[in-house]
Amino acid sequence: MAPLRFAANLAWMFQEQPTLPQRIEAAAQAGFGAAELGFPYACSASELRAAAERAELELVLLNTPPGNQEKGDMGLGAVPGRQHEFREALALAVQYAKTLQCPRIHLLAGRIPMGAEREAVSAEMEDTFIENLRYAADILAQQNLIGLVEPINSRITDPRYFLTTPHQAAAILKKVGSPNLKLQLDIFHCQIMDGNLTRNLETYFPILGHVQIAQVPARHEPDSPGELDFPYLFQLLESMGYRGYIGCEYAPRGDTVKGLDWLHLYWKSHGLRGDRS
């Protein structure tokens, strides 16, 4: 079985460094061969590309711009009446992805409008999301890019987020029917909303495009106290033949590098070097 590949999420890890280019360098020095960027738009794409090339770090995921976060936006994909803004956000994300040679874009769904009941707006928001995803799929296919949709838990992290479970995401992807759109499964969110991780990974493996990890409930390192048995989950993903990246989207309990014992142990158990493996 091939060993898993891990990517540092630079929106969460290496916060000891003040800038994204510095975090790219820090991730490479810590042994990572890949990174997720989150929202990279405060830096120029060319500056980030140069930093990644210097560090010899592959950039594997970025998000579409969130919209107006001061007004509560966290994505626009499923927000009715804002399709034009979604298309503008997608265009910017594609521009960055091409410059950064980043093959995956997380298409953020967005939140239930303030004051609205989920049940009252779900149908309209799903229709909007499907419309926007079909548009995005065509644009991304022209650029040989993969679009991802990620369920985010509504119990702890974001009570108003529209897309909350793998089942909901899979149903929407089936309606869209585009092979270059896939599921981004964050095990942290999946455990909180549904649990049953073995069965969920097996069920949704055919549409799985990316995996992320964090311990539950505190969202720290995989070896921190919590509900999840990550050695088992890593072995499960290996046995299933998962070949994508696993994004480390967690908040380190302290210094990022000092919290990487779990990763060094994984590398050692698979006969890998402790750097760039």
Side-chain angles (χ1 to χ4, degrees):
M1 294 182 292
L4 301 173
R5 300 183 296 170
F6 295 90
N9 185 296
L10 302 185
W12 290 76
M13 302 176 73
F14 300 101
Q15 296 302 299
E16 299 86 357
Q17 303 298 327
T19 70
L20 202 45
Q22 288 173 301
R23 290 173 202 159
I24 288 172
E25 176 61 29
Q29 290 181 355
F32 284 98
E36 306 172 341
L37 294 183
F39 302 115
Y41 306 105
C43 294
S44 73
S46 59
E47 179 184 8
L48 295 174
R49 181 68 241 160
E53 289 178 350
R54 286 194 303 270
E56 298 182 344
L57 193 77
E58 184 178 358
L59 304 177
V60 299
L61 177 69
L62 56 83
N63 299 334
T64 49
N68 190 333
Q69 290 183 290
E70 292 183 358
K71 294 184 177 180
D73 289 341
M74 183 49 70
L76 302 169
V79 183
R82 301 183 68 182
Q83 287 89 330
H84 179 70
E85 293 174 76
F86 171 81
R87 294 184 179 194
E88 290 181 337
L90 176 66
L92 181 59
V94 168
Q95 175 188 329
Y96 266 72
K98 294 301 292 183
T99 300
L100 299 175
Q101 299 175 26
C102 176
R104 301 169 194 85
I105 298 176
H106 169 204
L107 306 167
L108 285 157
R111 291 173 171 151
I112 304 292
M114 288 292 294
E117 295 292 332
R118 183 178 294 272
E119 294 75 11
V121 299
S122 287
E124 182 182 10
M125 292 190 73
E126 180 175 306
D127 289 344
T128 301
F129 202 23
I130 290 170
E131 174 190 342
N132 282 331
L133 288 176
R134 285 176 175 156
Y135 173 84
D138 289 341
I139 297 297
L140 296 175
Q142 295 170 25
Q143 302 295 334
N144 196 30
L145 297 170
I146 296 294
L148 301 169
V149 298
E150 179 191 14
I152 295 176
N153 82 81
S154 58
R155 292 177 174 157
I156 295 176
T157 302
D158 196 333
R160 291 174 35 236
Y161 203 73
F162 169 69
L163 192 68
T164 60
T165 68
H167 177 77
Q168 181 191 12
I172 289 173
L173 288 174
K174 185 175 180 180
K175 291 178 181 179
V176 176
S178 297
N180 65 326
L181 298 185
K182 297 185 180 297
L183 174 66
Q184 177 175 321
L185 186 67
D186 189 323
I187 288 175
F188 171 81
H189 295 303
C190 187
Q191 168 68 6
I192 291 168
M193 292 301 293
D194 193 46
N196 196 22
L197 293 177
T198 299
R199 182 59 177 163
N200 275 319
L201 284 167
E202 292 171 348
T203 298
Y204 300 114
F205 189 79
I207 60 170
L208 193 61
H210 194 67
V211 173
Q212 292 176 319
I213 57 170
Q215 186 57 272
V216 177
R219 207 169 188 175
H220 295 317
E221 290 90 342
D223 62 348
S224 62
E227 301 172 12
L228 300 180
D229 180 356
F230 275 102
Y232 167 78
L233 291 170
F234 293 159
Q235 186 176 38
L236 177 64
L237 286 165
E238 289 173 8
S239 70
M240 296 170 70
Y242 179 67
R243 295 292 183 266
Y245 281 96
I246 295 183
C248 303
E249 191 178 58
Y250 63 75
R253 287 173 290 178
D255 180 82
T256 300
V257 173
K258 291 180 180 178
L260 291 177
D261 286 351
W262 67 271
L263 184 56
H264 297 152
L265 182 63
Y266 179 87
W267 284 339
K268 183 178 180 179
S269 70
H270 288 71
L272 301 174
R273 295 179 299 111
D275 58 338
R276 316 318 303 276
S277 300

